[in-house]
Amino acid sequence: MIKDRAKDILIKMGMPASVNGLEYIAEAMGLFDSEFCGIKIMALYEEIAKRHNTTGTGVERAIRHAFGIVVTKGKLSLVEKYLSIDNATNSNLLNLLYYRLKQEEMEENSSEMQVVMPESNPEKGTDPYQTLEDDMILAVQKFIKSLREEN
């Protein structure tokens, strides 16, 4: 799930697990993944605030503080991979983190789905197209299973 992946990556970057902003950022990733993609950032803060019984400004401040820790004291290689040091606004950092997590997820899924055409072996009498078809069926079943697990 994207929320868990976001938490793992942020902690690896150097964000303390005790910072409220960590949970709020992970929650934002989950909301972006569901119904809040493309919504105004203030509405996102308000939705997170409702879920955590706090205020929108408190959520904004906690996220800014959490990103500030990572950008100034975090592991630079991971910060550059997932975030931007140049434009360190909450909105930009949240969107960048989400898009880079989704991009990474797509790359992982596409590499899992690659099927290699087996070499034909006339001695065994196997049909390479049948083997390919069997592999494709297994790949589709695996993909459907992963979609069901996400929902």
Side-chain angles (χ1 to χ4, degrees):
M1 205 168 154
I2 196 162
K3 285 173 64 171
D4 296 329
R5 288 183 51 234
K7 280 183 187 180
D8 288 342
I9 288 167
L10 290 167
I11 289 171
K12 286 177 185 174
M13 281 184 204
M15 185 177 292
S18 60
V19 174
N20 286 339
L22 174 67
E23 185 62 38
Y24 299 159
I25 293 167
E27 187 81 29
M29 296 300 104
L31 290 171
F32 279 155
D33 210 31
S34 59
E35 71 268 12
F36 280 83
C37 192
I39 196 163
K40 297 269 185 201
I41 199 73
M42 291 308 292
L44 180 73
Y45 295 152
E46 293 299 327
E47 181 62 30
I48 294 170
K50 269 194 267 183
R51 294 176 184 212
H52 292 274
N53 197 27
T54 187
T55 64
T57 56
V59 170
E60 178 186 11
R61 196 172 331 119
I63 290 174
R64 188 175 347 104
H65 174 69
F67 277 138
I69 291 171
V70 169
V71 169
T72 58
K73 299 178 184 174
K75 293 181 182 170
L76 189 60
S77 61
L78 286 175
V79 171
E80 288 176 342
K81 181 177 179 182
Y82 292 98
L83 303 174
S84 169
I85 297 174
D86 299 330
N87 185 3
T89 63
N90 280 1
S91 177
N92 185 51
L93 294 175
L94 286 169
N95 283 307
L96 272 173
L97 180 60
Y98 175 73
Y99 289 126
R100 291 190 174 148
L101 287 172
K102 290 306 280 185
Q103 181 181 27
E104 197 173 74
E105 184 180 293
M106 284 188 204
E107 289 170 1
E108 288 171 4
N109 288 341
S110 68
S111 68
E112 287 176 6
M113 299 300 288
Q114 288 180 353
V115 179
V116 177
M117 182 72 168
E119 292 183 26
S120 176
N121 189 347
E123 293 175 12
K124 289 186 176 180
T126 59
D127 180 8
Y129 295 106
Q130 183 62 47
T131 305
L132 178 62
E133 182 180 322
D134 293 343
D135 289 345
M136 289 177 68
I137 290 170
L138 288 173
V140 168
Q141 288 172 342
K142 183 178 179 181
F143 177 71
I144 290 171
K145 183 180 176 186
S146 72
L147 286 176
R148 287 184 179 152
E149 288 173 358
E150 287 180 9
N151 295 330

